[in-house]
Amino acid sequence: MRERWGEDFYKKVLFCGGSAGTVSAVYLALGKTEVDLAALYKYCSERSHARGYYYRPSDFLGECVIKTINDNPDTYKILEGRCCFGTTAFFSHHRWHMNW
């Protein structure tokens, strides 16, 4: 993406994601590199594999997103209007969130 649209492409795009895509959306909207994202997924998959099939990998993804957001007290301002997050509630209700 950087090669095609320039180093600051992430400042001009609305990123959307649900579940694991949320992590990608947050990382991309904050300008993190593909190396950062690959390291995150490697960390999460290794921890999930070590804990077994029935342990939810989304717990590790959530932990990493929270850490990333807490790294900078203005993260929520940076993401405001530039990142959509999908949530699902029982039964079959899905919402996109852009503001908080």
Side-chain angles (χ1 to χ4, degrees), residues 64-97:
C64 291
V65 168
I66 289 169
K67 182 191 177 313
T68 300
I69 289 171
N70 288 337
D71 283 347
N72 179 347
D74 291 331
T75 297
Y76 74 97
K77 292 177 186 175
I78 296 167
L79 296 177
E80 181 81 26
R82 293 188 42 234
C83 204
C84 292
F85 304 103
T87 59
T88 304
F90 186 79
F91 175 78
S92 192
H93 296 282
H94 187 270
R95 290 181 51 199
W96 287 105
H97 307 274

Side-chain angles (χ1 to χ4, degrees), residues 6-94:
E7 287 297 316
D8 65 343
F9 80 94
Y10 64 94
K11 295 178 182 177
K12 306 169 193 169
V13 177
L14 173 64
F15 293 98
C16 301
S19 191
T22 301
V23 181
S24 298
V26 168
Y27 266 51
L28 290 169
L30 292 175
K32 301 280 187 183
T33 68
E34 60 276 3
V35 173
D36 296 326
L37 191 56
L40 171 74
Y41 277 103
K42 183 175 186 295
Y43 166 81
C44 290
S45 60
E46 286 173 351
R47 289 195 59 189
S48 297
H49 180 71
R51 294 293 291 261
Y53 177 75
Y54 295 104
Y55 195 78
R56 297 181 339 196
S58 59
D59 292 344
F60 298 122
L61 290 174
E63 182 182 303
C64 291
V65 168
I66 289 169
K67 182 191 177 313
T68 300
I69 289 171
N70 288 337
D71 283 347
N72 179 347
D74 291 331
T75 297
Y76 74 97
K77 292 177 186 175
I78 296 167
L79 296 177
E80 181 81 26
R82 293 188 42 234
C83 204
C84 292
F85 304 103
T87 59
T88 304
F90 186 79
F91 175 78
S92 192
H93 296 282
H94 187 270

